[in-house]
Amino acid sequence: MRNHNPVERFFALAPSRKRAIEAMCASCMGCTHGYLEDSFKKEIRNCSAQSCPLYVFRPYQRPKSHSPQ
């Protein structure tokens, strides 16, 4: 079974920048090593903490669509 908890995944697998950012954002939204907050991906996507240094790097963002010029 896959591990969908970014905090647990960070500690279980080899550390990486991407996993660290995912784990930090998930922990900010209430996830812990043993608990996965419901709809944490949606909460990260809708994060409003623009003063956070990781704001522009947060995971689970929808790709920006390019409008025809």
Side-chain angles (χ1 to χ4, degrees):
M1 184 162 104
R2 287 184 64 176
N3 184 356
H4 295 286
N5 185 333
V7 178
E8 286 182 3
R9 189 172 36 224
F10 176 77
F11 291 106
L13 303 173
S16 72
R17 184 175 290 131
K18 180 180 186 264
R19 286 190 194 113
I21 293 169
E22 287 175 348
M24 189 64 211
C25 289
S27 67
C28 187
M29 296 301 161
C31 296
T32 64
H33 197 279
Y35 174 73
L36 185 63
E37 185 69 32
D38 290 336
S39 69
F40 75 96
K41 290 181 182 181
K42 180 181 174 190
E43 295 301 320
I44 292 171
R45 189 178 300 124
N46 297 326
C47 178
S48 62
Q50 294 181 7
S51 62
C52 174
L54 298 176
Y55 181 79
V56 296
F57 302 108
R58 71 192 190 283
Y60 316 116
Q61 296 183 63
R62 291 191 177 97
K64 297 184 193 290
S65 60
H66 298 286
S67 58
Q69 295 180 4

